[in-house]
């Protein structure tokens, strides 16, 4: 087992070297070119029991600096007052729009347009899950580009401008934006002010989102090997989503659709790119207690295992070398297998106590790598326009070191449990309670 751990550690260090060097070399801010024509965009918002959060999402939509877009909110048979809230907020009137009929989804009960905000539409349909709702939205969308957005997500005012600018590159076929935690963020005098505050579990997610996007996503983007375009904020050409038969009804539709696009590109020899657009930002409400955090992360891990089992057998044939390495080695070996081997190693260590020196060396390496990468992540966070104070960055760095022995180990445990629980075959919405209190509007 020790040899397995040592080999895993070497592979870990290779990937961490990439995650250290590449962001520093390629983390360049793109200036917004407002002279570019606006591309047509449909923003799709699947909603299930979102009566507490949907107002914040709509308010943020109405603050966008963009004209050539529509918003389609898809009410997926909500059991709460989501539809009533939409009627109240938007003043809905029944309208007719012929769907494309290119994707399969549960029957639609009604299509509505807002009298108050004519660019906002609502689809009311029978419950079919998030993927089913997205497919309905795609089929009704009239724009060339569709953005998938969670109902608890709020777009920053210039986000669609940056999305449009990235799609002016003819090689870009899809992109993911930056997702930030909204707790601690508020708008003052037209500027979003961010503060490192709240419970420990919120702070942990804040710094892990910063690292996950500005370090990991940016590195994967350079190698055209993004494994997951986050369901909270992703943008795609509509025609490519239709060509891959839309979203699959699974516990993790975002990782699946990303891999399906990579597979389609390889099969059709398309020299296209899936990129990360760090300047395009949305804010999302994260779980505020361990119960909801556990539920969310279990769903994420089950989604990853689902795709591993589906795509593993033909990995090298279906995907580029870069995607295969980041998906199989960085994602599966270092993210899942390493969780099991680490647990076994710790148990052996407690029983025999013969390798305590080796364990301390491995821990010291982990601490050093974590420290360097967090400094890079915070540097890029500041570089790309975040408004945290220097005091906040110092507090975030200290917290990131302390969480190595706390929340980081909780995530390892969840990866193990989520892998085992995958076989429960639960593919529902995986509803996580939201409060709808924090907002950037």
């Amino acid at each position: 087992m020790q040899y397995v751990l040592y080999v895993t550690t070497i592979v870990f260090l290779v990937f961490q070297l990439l995650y250290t060097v590449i962001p520093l070399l390629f983390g360049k801010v793109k200036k917004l070119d407002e002279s570019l024509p606006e591309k047509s965009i449909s923003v799709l918002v699947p909603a299930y029991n979102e009566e507490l959060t949907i107002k914040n999402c709509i308010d943020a939509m109405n603050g966008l600096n963009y004209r050539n877009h529509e918003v389609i909110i898809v009410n997926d048979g909500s059991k709460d007052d989501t539809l009533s809230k939409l009627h109240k907020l938007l003043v809905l009137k029944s309208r007719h729009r012929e769907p494309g009929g290119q994707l399969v989804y549960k029957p639609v009960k009604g299509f509505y347009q807002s009298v108050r905000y004519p660019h906002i539409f609502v689809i009311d349909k029978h419950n079919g899950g998030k993927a089913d709702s997205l497919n309905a939205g795609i089929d009704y969308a009239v724009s060339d580009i569709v953005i998938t957005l969670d109902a608890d997500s709020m777009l920053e005012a210039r986000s669609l401008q940056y999305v449009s600018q990235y799609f002016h590159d003819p090689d870009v076929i899809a992109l993911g934006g930056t997702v930030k935690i909204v707790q601690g963020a508020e708008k003052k005098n037209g500027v979003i002010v961010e503060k490192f505050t709240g419970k420990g579990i919120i702070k942990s997610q804040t710094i892990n989102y910063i690292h996950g996007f500005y370090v990991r996503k940016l590195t994967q983007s350079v190698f055209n090997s993004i494994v997951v375009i986050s369901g909270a904020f992703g943008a795609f050409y509509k025609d490519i989503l239709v060509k891959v038969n839309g979203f699959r009804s699974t516990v993790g539709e975002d990782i699946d659709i990303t891999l399906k696009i990579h597979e389609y590109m390889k099969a059709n020899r398309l020299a296209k790119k899936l990129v990360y657009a760090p300047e395009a930002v949305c804010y999302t409400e994260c779980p505020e207690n361990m119960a909801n955090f556990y539920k969310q992360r279990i769903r994420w891990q089950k989604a990853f295992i689902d795709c591993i089992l589906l795509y593993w057998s033909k990995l090298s044939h279906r995907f580029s070398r870069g995607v295969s390495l980041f998906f199989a080695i960085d994602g599966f070996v270092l993210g899942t297998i390493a969780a099991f081997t680490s647990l076994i190693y710790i148990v052996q260590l407690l029983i025999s106590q013969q390798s305590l020196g080796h364990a301390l060396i491995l821990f010291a390496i982990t601490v050093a790598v974590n420290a360097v990468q967090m400094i890079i992540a915070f540097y890029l966070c500041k570089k790309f326009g975040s408004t945290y104070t220097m005091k906040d960055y110092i507090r975030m760095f200290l917290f990131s070191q302390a969480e190595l022995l706390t929340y980081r180990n909780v995530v390892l445990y969840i990866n193990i449990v989520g892998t085992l629980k995958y076989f429960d075959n639960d593919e529902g919405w995986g509803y996580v309670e939201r409060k709808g209190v924090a907002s950037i509007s």
Side-chain angles (χ1 to χ4, degrees):
M1 182 54 66
Q2 286 185 356
Y3 294 111
V4 174
L5 191 66
Y6 294 152
V7 171
T8 304
T9 301
I10 293 172
V11 176
F12 166 79
L13 290 175
V14 170
F15 274 94
Q16 299 322 304
L17 181 62
L18 291 176
Y19 285 132
T20 301
V21 175
I22 298 301
L24 288 175
L25 294 177
F26 294 91
K28 299 177 181 178
V29 181
K30 282 194 175 184
K31 283 189 176 183
L32 185 61
D33 185 355
E34 300 196 33
S35 67
L36 291 173
E38 292 183 344
K39 287 187 172 287
S40 175
I41 296 176
S42 294
V43 182
L44 311 183
V45 185
Y48 176 72
N49 293 350
E50 296 287 356
E51 62 176 333
L52 297 179
T53 61
I54 198 66
K55 182 180 185 300
N56 291 336
C57 182
I58 292 171
D59 287 345
M61 294 289 188
N62 290 323
L64 295 175
N65 296 329
Y66 208 78
R67 296 175 299 278
N68 191 14
H69 78 291
E70 64 173 2
V71 179
I72 301 178
I73 301 171
V74 186
N75 179 49
D76 189 51
S78 297
K79 296 178 181 178
D80 66 354
D81 290 329
T82 297
L83 187 60
S84 299
K85 192 75 173 282
L86 289 170
H87 273 286
K88 182 178 179 180
L89 292 170
L90 301 175
V91 187
L92 297 175
K93 293 293 183 182
S94 181
R95 292 289 186 266
H96 175 75
R97 178 184 289 185
E98 196 68 32
Q102 297 171 299
L103 298 175
V104 178
Y105 44 88
K106 295 290 184 180
V108 169
K109 295 185 283 185
F111 183 82
Y112 305 90
Q113 183 177 17
S114 170
V115 174
R116 186 169 291 164
Y117 311 110
H119 66 291
I120 299 181
F121 301 86
V122 172
I123 295 174
D124 183 33
K125 61 181 286 293
H126 290 281
N127 180 263
K130 186 175 181 180
D132 192 83
S133 297
L134 288 170
N135 287 339
I138 294 166
D139 211 34
Y140 274 83
V142 296
S143 303
D144 297 328
I145 297 167
V146 296
I147 287 178
T148 61
L149 194 75
D150 285 348
D152 62 344
S153 295
M154 292 150 271
L155 291 173
E156 189 269 334
R158 300 173 301 168
S159 56
L160 295 194
Q161 290 176 283
Y162 277 112
V163 168
S164 177
Q165 180 167 312
Y166 271 87
F167 275 106
H168 274 280
D169 180 345
D171 292 334
V172 172
I173 198 171
L175 67 81
T178 298
V179 181
K180 295 184 177 182
I181 301 300
V182 72
Q183 288 97 322
E186 60 179 333
K187 184 172 284 187
K188 292 183 178 180
N189 300 320
V191 177
I192 298 175
V193 178
E194 298 163 308
K195 295 180 181 179
F196 186 58
T197 185
K199 301 177 183 178
I201 195 167
I202 296 175
K203 291 179 178 178
S204 175
Q205 292 172 88
T206 298
I207 62 174
N208 279 286
Y209 270 55
I210 290 172
H211 177 269
F213 283 90
Y214 291 121
V215 171
R216 298 181 67 86
K217 284 282 194 294
L218 198 155
T219 300
Q220 293 174 13
S221 179
V222 169
F223 292 101
N224 196 16
S225 301
I226 292 178
V227 177
V228 187
I229 290 180
S230 173
F233 184 21
F236 312 83
Y237 273 116
K238 176 182 173 178
D239 66 337
I240 192 66
L241 293 177
V242 172
K243 287 175 181 175
V244 299
N245 296 318
F247 288 81
R248 179 170 66 95
S249 290
T250 178
V251 69
E253 70 292 325
D254 50 1
I255 182 173
D256 184 70
I257 196 69
T258 309
L259 293 173
K260 283 171 71 175
I261 293 174
H262 277 299
E263 183 181 21
Y264 180 84
M265 287 165 52
K266 177 76 179 289
N268 292 276
R269 298 181 180 180
L270 295 180
K272 300 293 183 179
K273 299 185 294 185
L274 283 75
V275 300
Y276 166 53
E279 303 87 355
V281 176
C282 87
Y283 289 82
T284 191
E285 183 178 332
C286 72
E288 295 191 357
N289 56 55
M290 188 56 70
N292 280 298
F293 177 79
Y294 175 84
K295 191 185 301 183
Q296 181 192 66
R297 296 307 172 98
I298 286 287
R299 188 177 78 244
W300 290 4
Q301 181 63 14
K302 289 169 70 174
F304 180 74
I305 296 301
D306 179 65
C307 287
I308 281 288
L309 294 176
L310 180 64
Y311 295 106
W312 183 269
S313 62
K314 298 181 180 178
L315 199 59
S316 61
H317 303 295
R318 292 186 176 188
F319 304 106
S320 67
R321 186 176 292 108
V323 173
S324 299
L325 287 173
F326 280 100
F327 179 50
I329 307 301
D330 185 42
F332 184 56
V333 175
L334 298 181
T336 300
I337 299 299
F340 285 90
T341 56
S342 297
L343 178 63
I344 295 172
Y345 181 70
I346 291 170
V347 171
Q348 286 182 341
L349 183 65
L350 292 174
I351 294 174
S352 66
Q353 296 185 347
Q354 293 179 352
S355 304
L356 184 59
H358 292 164
L360 291 175
I361 292 173
L362 291 174
F363 180 69
I365 291 173
T366 302
V367 171
V369 169
N370 182 70
V372 171
Q373 284 198 8
M374 292 314 301
I375 290 172
I376 292 171
F378 298 143
Y379 163 72
L380 292 173
C381 184
K382 182 71 174 178
K383 185 176 181 179
F384 281 100
S386 288
T387 55
Y388 291 108
T389 64
M390 184 55 64
K391 183 178 179 181
D392 278 329
Y393 283 119
I394 293 171
R395 291 172 60 227
M396 283 193 282
F397 175 77
L398 295 175
F399 187 91
S400 71
Q401 301 308 295
E403 75 148 9
L404 280 172
L405 294 173
T406 53
Y407 294 104
R408 201 75 63 88
N409 287 324
V410 172
V411 173
L412 283 178
Y413 168 76
I414 290 174
N415 285 349
I416 293 172
V417 176
T419 300
L420 300 175
K421 285 180 68 67
Y422 166 76
F423 301 97
D424 289 348
N425 295 319
D426 177 14
E427 297 182 356
W429 273 80
Y431 183 73
V432 176
E433 179 185 0
R434 310 292 192 191
K435 294 184 178 180
V437 176
S439 173
I440 60 168
S441 302

